[in-house]
């Protein structure tokens, strides 16, 4: 079974384009991230996506029973976090499927946009931190009647007749050669 999370986006350079464009990010088979109480000085952990208070992490991961049990840990949890340590930057996603096409298609490219935004943020490329647009409109092919008739004649009559003609010429040459030799 696949388990999906649709966490809440928190404001950050990485997530603001996603929030502003009404996109979502889907975390397939996600695990829980918790912000440590013992973060070293100079290290900053910023939540990017978080679950709600009603989320829970299963202690028993055989998933026979997916309902909340008393030994399960209650949320909220981080689903992604941005980390800075000095001049270094990293982004941790709680799902290994953040770039998987099937999950990305469900949220109309929200996952790939978030990943690219995170990559741009880590590389300090602010110009690449934006939501990439996907055109969902299909332009109809408009052809005049004379063009349609011309292509009909070429594709349905001339090309097949040419193939048959070339085949007949090759057959006749081989037959003539066979008769001469025979």
């Amino acid at each position: 079974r696949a388990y999906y999370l649709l966490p809440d986006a928190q404001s950050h350079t990485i997530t603001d384009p996603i929030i502003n464009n009404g996109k979502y990010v889907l975390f397939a088979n996600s695990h829980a991230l918790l912000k440590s109480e013992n973060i070293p000085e100079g290290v900053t952990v910023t939540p990017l996506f978080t679950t709600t208070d009603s989320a829970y992490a299963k202690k028993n991961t055989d998933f026979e029973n997916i309902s909340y049990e008393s030994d399960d840990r209650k949320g909220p949890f981080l689903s992604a976090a941005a980390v800075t340590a000095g001049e270094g930057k990293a982004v941790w996603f709680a799902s290994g499927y953040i770039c998987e096409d099937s999950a990305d298609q469900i949220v109309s490219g929200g996952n790939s946009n978030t990943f690219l935004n995170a990559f741009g943020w880590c590389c300090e490329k602010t110009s690449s931190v934006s939501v990439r647009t996907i055109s969902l409109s299909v332009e109809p092919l408009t052809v005049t009647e004379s063009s349609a008739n011309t292509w009909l004649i070429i594709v349905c009559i001339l090309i097949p007749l040419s193939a048959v003609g070339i085949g007949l010429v090759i057959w006749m040459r081989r037959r003539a050669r066979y008769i001469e030799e025979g």
Side-chain angles (χ1 to χ4, degrees):
R1 294 187 232 176
Y3 297 96
Y4 299 98
L5 288 177
L6 200 59
D8 299 325
Q10 306 302 311
S11 183
H12 187 275
T13 306
I14 296 170
T15 57
D16 285 345
I18 302 300
I19 295 168
N20 294 338
N21 288 286
K23 295 237 181 208
Y24 295 98
V25 176
L26 183 69
F27 287 79
N29 294 331
S30 182
H31 61 272
L33 296 176
L34 295 172
K35 189 174 178 181
S36 174
E37 301 296 325
N38 302 323
I39 298 175
E41 190 174 317
V43 175
T44 306
V45 177
T46 307
L48 298 177
F49 294 93
T50 58
T51 65
T52 63
D53 293 340
S54 61
Y56 55 90
K58 297 294 293 173
K59 184 173 185 176
N60 181 4
T61 57
D62 65 6
F63 293 108
E64 290 297 321
N65 179 11
I66 59 171
S67 300
Y68 176 77
E69 297 173 316
S70 61
D71 57 344
D72 294 338
R73 189 165 195 161
K74 291 285 270 176
F77 302 105
L78 300 177
S79 294
V83 181
T84 56
E87 292 185 25
K89 294 181 178 182
V91 177
W92 183 272
F93 292 100
S95 172
Y97 299 96
I98 194 75
C99 292
E100 185 180 282
D101 285 338
S102 61
D104 193 40
Q105 288 175 356
I106 293 171
V107 289
S108 302
N111 285 16
S112 58
N113 284 327
T114 300
F115 184 80
L116 291 173
N117 291 348
F119 188 72
W121 177 77
C122 288
C123 296
E124 296 182 352
K125 291 275 192 174
T126 55
S127 62
S128 66
V129 180
S130 63
V131 173
R132 286 96 191 138
T133 58
I134 299 172
S135 175
L136 298 177
S137 64
V138 176
E139 295 292 325
L141 178 63
T142 307
V143 181
T144 63
E145 187 174 345
S146 62
S147 290
N149 289 336
T150 302
W151 283 108
L152 175 72
I153 291 169
I154 291 171
V155 171
C156 293
I157 297 172
L158 292 179
I159 292 176
L161 283 178
S162 298
V164 168
I166 292 170
L168 281 173
V169 169
I170 293 171
W171 176 74
M172 289 171 41
R173 284 185 182 171
R174 288 183 180 174
R175 185 170 186 248
R177 219 180 306 150
Y178 178 74
I179 291 174
E180 288 176 9
E181 292 174 2

